[in-house]
Structures are given as C-alpha cells and as structure tokens.
Amino acid sequence: MSKPILVIKFGSAAITKANGELNQLVMVEIARQVAQLYSEYHLVIVSSGAVAAGKQYIRNYAGEIAQRKAAAAIGNLLLLNKYAQFFAPYEIPVAQSLCERGHFANRDQFLQMKETFQELWDNGIIPIVNENDVVSSRELKFSDNDELATLIAVGFGADTLMLCTSVGGLLDNTGKVIPRVSQVNDVFKYVRTDKSSVGLGGMTSKLTFAKLAMRMGIRTIIFGMNESDGILRALREETGTVFVSQENVLSARNRWLGSGSLVAGRILIDAGAALALQNRKSLLAVGITEVEGDFEAGEAVEIVDEEGTSVAVAKAKESSTSIAQNLKTQNFEVANANDIVLL
C-alpha cells in the first residue's frame, strides 16, 4: 500500500531569528525528527523563511513588493541549501518546489504537480515547498503558507496536516494549550489578533485552514518547536492542539474543487436554494437572487446564502450572462449536484 501523506508547515517565525537569519538549531531539529518519520510517510515540508532570510541582502529594505521578491530570490537558495545540509547526515535528499496559486486553480497543472511529487517520493526525495514570491502577483497570492500547506494536504489526500506556531498550539484564556478540538467555530473566541513580526499569518489563519482540512477528512495539528521532540510528540497527540477530522466521502476532483480552485464569480441564493443544496440537490436559477462577476460555463463560482455566508463552491454549468438572463426560468440548472462542494 502507498504510504500516508504527512504535510508539515513551518512559518518564518519558526525557522528564522528576529534579525532574519535562519535559525539553524531549529532546522537541525526539523531534519532530525523528520528523518525518523521518513520511512513511514510520504513527506512534504512547506517552509516559509525565504523573504526573512534574504532581506538582509537588500539595501534599505522597507518591505516593498519588488524588495520582497528580490529577497525571496536570494532567500530561497539559502533556505534550500540549509535544508539539504541538515538532511544530508540522514542520507535524505530534498527538492525545491515553488508554487503559485494558479497551480491549484488549474486542474491540469495541479495534476502535473501531483505526479511530480509522486515521482519525488518514489525516489526517496522530500519536497520543500514555498510560494514562488518572485513571480506571484498580489491578486493571485496565497494568503499565507498555511493556505499553501492546506491546499497541498487536501489536494493530495494527506492523512495529517501539521502547522507549526511559536506558542505551541491553540491557547485558551488562561494561556494553556487546548489539546483537542472537534468544532473549530467554538474556539475562534480564543484567537488573539497579533502575529509575528516576520510572518504573514496568525492563529486566525491556522484555524481557518484547520477548519477546511477537517471538513476534507484531514487530521490537523497545531504544534510548536519550543519543546523536545515537538514534531514527533505532536504527531502522537501528546502535545499541541489536535483538530479532529470529519468523515470525508468527496472524490479527489471535488476535494480539489472545494479547496484549490480560484472562483471566477459569486452566486447569491435564497433560503430555499440553500436548503436544497444541503439536501444535495442541484442549483436552479429560480433560487438565485444575484450574480456577481463575469464567468464562463465550466469555471468555479462561490455560492453565498442570504446571510452572506459562503456555503459552497461549484462548477458553473452556464455563463454569468446566461444565468442572469434566466433567473425566472423554471428548471434552468446552473450547477449540477455532482459539481457542488458544500463548505
């Protein structure tokens, strides 16, 4: 049988010091612990840190877009060289994979990426993944590497997703780590709005993507590297916060649609249509109150209920123009039930 897939994400705050230098002690620990999991899992390491590591080489660095891209171009090389150096004692080769949001939006490109990762695993190589900041546009960027890691985990059908944080897990009001979460909506109240000085994401981001991963049947663990064997113990659920996966019966295609596709527009629906979707019915034009955006048949759209909540992602059967012209038409199918993924 194929090995289970384990995706582990490390943010900039985890692997860099305050001055931007790579924290080699942490990276040595990552390599040591991951090496112990090497024979059990197909591993993916999603690692931030390129911009933080490279910005010291950019004169008068102020965080402007061009400066960030230049810093990433330098930092990616520094980052991968260190990972290669620290995995070398375990005779584990690593490869670099720089991803863009469009690689997940286009299913053909996504499948090609999936095949490439499988080839790396077949040859005993661990892919080290980061966003391709050098060319990514602001409109098509990942919100942060928590999203990138989650899309890889969902799209590849990972068993477990691990997100590293400086605080070691989700903390309650007393500052203690909450060991287990079954309903993410119940714990957003514990989130603080602060984030690290070098990272983009925070706990809100991690909870948001943990919720998506759980819904797609993936156990998610928020953990820290500030204690002995942080990765190994968190995987054994001895430390950190475990988000319990829900039963998932979606096809690989619909997992991709529900997580990786870029939506081209929005469809607002009434309460009756929302109920029909929950009962796994197709979306008909009579239940639509408004169409936003300009999209063609076959493109992905977001479906929003009367409260403004995103309830589904769907592959549109008709263009936005055709839908708008047929809002009162009976039995005019806008999206088939097989092409709708509930959120």
Side-chain angles (χ1 to χ4, degrees), residues 23-44:
N23 191 328
Q24 298 190 40
L25 292 178
V26 171
M27 296 183 73
V28 165
E29 271 300 293
I30 291 172
R32 182 186 69 81
Q33 294 179 51
V34 168
Q36 295 184 50
L37 303 171
Y38 179 68
S39 63
E40 302 174 44
Y41 293 93
H42 286 319
L43 290 152
V44 179

Side-chain angles (χ1 to χ4, degrees), residues 116-161:
T116 301
F117 275 51
Q118 186 62 57
E119 187 67 23
L120 290 172
W121 291 329
D122 288 347
N123 287 276
I125 301 168
I126 298 177
I128 309 289
V129 184
N130 198 0
E131 178 167 14
N132 192 353
D133 288 303
V134 178
V135 299
S136 291
S137 69
R138 279 172 287 184
E139 293 79 9
L140 296 180
K141 282 182 66 65
F142 299 99
S143 59
D144 53 48
N145 271 357
D146 293 328
E147 180 182 18
L148 173 54
T150 304
L151 296 188
I152 289 174
V154 172
F156 289 13
D159 175 77
T160 302
L161 167 66

Side-chain angles (χ1 to χ4, degrees), residues 5-8 41 153 157-162 218-221 235:
I5 296 170
L6 172 61
V7 179
I8 313 175
Y41 293 93
D159 175 77
T160 302
L161 167 66
M162 302 183 71
I218 299 170
R219 179 180 64 151
T220 303
I221 304 171
L235 193 59

Side-chain angles (χ1 to χ4, degrees), residues 13 20 45 58 101 143 148 158 171 211 251 254 259 261 274 307 342:
I45 295 176
I58 306 300
R101 191 66 175 79
S143 59
L148 173 54
L171 307 182
K211 182 178 179 179
S251 66
N254 278 358
S259 63
S261 57
E307 281 73 44
L342 299 177

Side-chain angles (χ1 to χ4, degrees), residues 291-297 318-327 332:
V291 179
E292 296 180 354
D294 184 13
F295 53 87
E296 299 298 326
E318 303 286 343
S319 69
S320 55
T321 301
S322 178
I323 295 169
Q325 292 172 346
N326 288 277
L327 290 184
F332 186 86

Side-chain angles (χ1 to χ4, degrees), residues 80-213:
L80 193 70
N81 281 343
K82 286 300 178 184
Y83 274 119
Q85 174 187 336
F86 297 138
F87 274 104
Y90 307 101
E91 299 183 344
I92 298 175
V94 299
Q96 184 176 63
S97 176
L98 297 178
C99 296
E100 300 168 42
R101 191 66 175 79
H103 293 152
F104 292 86
N106 182 298
R107 183 151 174 79
D108 287 339
Q109 289 187 19
F110 169 74
L111 292 175
Q112 290 177 33
M113 179 172 67
K114 195 173 181 180
E115 289 178 0
T116 301
F117 275 51
Q118 186 62 57
E119 187 67 23
L120 290 172
W121 291 329
D122 288 347
N123 287 276
I125 301 168
I126 298 177
I128 309 289
V129 184
N130 198 0
E131 178 167 14
N132 192 353
D133 288 303
V134 178
V135 299
S136 291
S137 69
R138 279 172 287 184
E139 293 79 9
L140 296 180
K141 282 182 66 65
F142 299 99
S143 59
D144 53 48
N145 271 357
D146 293 328
E147 180 182 18
L148 173 54
T150 304
L151 296 188
I152 289 174
V154 172
F156 289 13
D159 175 77
T160 302
L161 167 66
M162 302 183 71
L163 304 174
C164 184
T165 177
S166 59
V167 295
L170 175 63
L171 307 182
D172 63 18
N173 289 334
T174 67
K176 294 182 179 179
V177 172
I178 300 171
R180 202 168 185 83
V181 174
S182 297
Q183 296 294 331
V184 176
N185 289 342
D186 296 338
V187 296
F188 270 98
K189 61 186 177 183
Y190 297 120
V191 173
R192 303 173 196 168
T193 57
D194 58 326
K195 59 186 178 183
S196 72
S197 61
V198 292
L200 289 176
M203 191 57 70
T204 299
S205 168
K206 288 175 175 57
L207 292 186
T208 298
F209 293 111
K211 182 178 179 179
L212 172 60

